Amino acid sequence: MEVNYKILDEESNDAMMPSTTKEDLMPIGKALHVLLNIGDRVFDQAVANDAAQTPPARALRSLNHYLDAGSIADVFDPIQLLKPKCGQAALRLGHYLILASRHSTKFRLYLRTDLLESTDKRLQLAGLLLLEKLTNQKNKVLVQYVPDISRVATKYGQVK
């Protein structure tokens, strides 16, 4: 996929003729494949330097571009968190979306409304798994989810 950004050329007299720069973006499926199949160090390097032309950095830019117009539910499958094979990579992607992405507020809303407030136990568990690692990092983001965590723990924590 190729995205065209139009930049008005200030030096020309004709302001109606914009110049165009192009950035190659990956299809969202390929971008997710790259992000879910790279190591932690490579993922961290891509997050730190998202302007690089490496495949992981391009995949992050593609993901962010897709999220500008698309839905989080189209990109992030929370059930992947529960699978032993894909769980750690999906957690890493989820933590990026919570903490470092420009769509973090959108993802936090998704986490609260679609996962923690869901009636499906698997989705609630996936939401709790995303938040579990944040407790180890003593992150301030976790504070806003304390009522949701308490509600889910109270609902399923009772022994019958």
Side-chain angles (χ1 to χ4, degrees):
M1 177 180 355
E2 195 173 281
V3 178
N4 295 326
Y5 296 101
K6 294 186 177 183
I7 301 171
L8 291 177
D9 191 4
E10 295 175 7
E11 303 210 359
S12 77
N13 293 333
D14 191 9
M16 300 309 255
M17 296 296 292
S19 62
T20 305
T21 39
K22 296 180 181 180
E23 178 183 355
D24 286 336
L25 295 175
M26 295 179 179
I28 190 63
K30 184 176 182 181
L32 287 173
H33 178 76
V34 168
L35 293 173
L36 293 175
N37 290 301
I38 58 175
D40 290 339
R41 187 177 60 82
V42 176
F43 187 86
D44 292 341
Q45 287 174 347
V47 170
N49 187 9
D50 66 346
Q53 289 302 317
T54 62
R58 286 182 54 224
L60 282 175
R61 285 194 303 275
S62 299
L63 175 68
N64 284 321
H65 177 75
Y66 184 81
L67 288 176
D68 286 339
S71 168
I72 298 251
D74 294 341
V75 173
F76 189 76
D77 182 12
I79 302 301
Q80 293 297 320
L81 296 172
L82 306 177
K83 296 181 179 177
K85 240 180 170 181
C86 307
Q88 292 303 315
L91 273 173
R92 183 181 60 216
L93 182 60
H95 288 140
Y96 164 75
L97 290 170
I98 290 173
L99 299 173
S101 172
R102 69 177 185 237
H103 300 286
S104 62
T105 53
K106 188 177 182 180
F107 188 78
R108 291 174 190 173
L109 181 65
Y110 168 78
L111 176 62
R112 172 167 282 141
T113 58
D114 291 2
L115 298 184
L116 294 175
E117 293 179 359
S118 173
T119 56
D120 186 2
K121 290 181 186 180
R122 295 178 305 159
L123 293 178
Q124 290 176 342
L125 178 61
L128 292 175
L129 285 173
L130 274 172
L131 294 174
E132 178 185 28
K133 191 171 183 181
L134 295 178
T135 59
N136 298 339
Q137 298 173 352
K138 296 183 180 178
N139 201 305
K140 295 177 182 179
V141 173
L142 187 64
V143 173
Q144 67 184 355
Y145 294 105
V146 170
D148 298 310
I149 295 169
S150 175
R151 182 181 40 77
V152 172
T154 304
K155 183 176 180 180
Y156 296 113
Q158 299 171 354
V159 178
K160 294 181 181 179

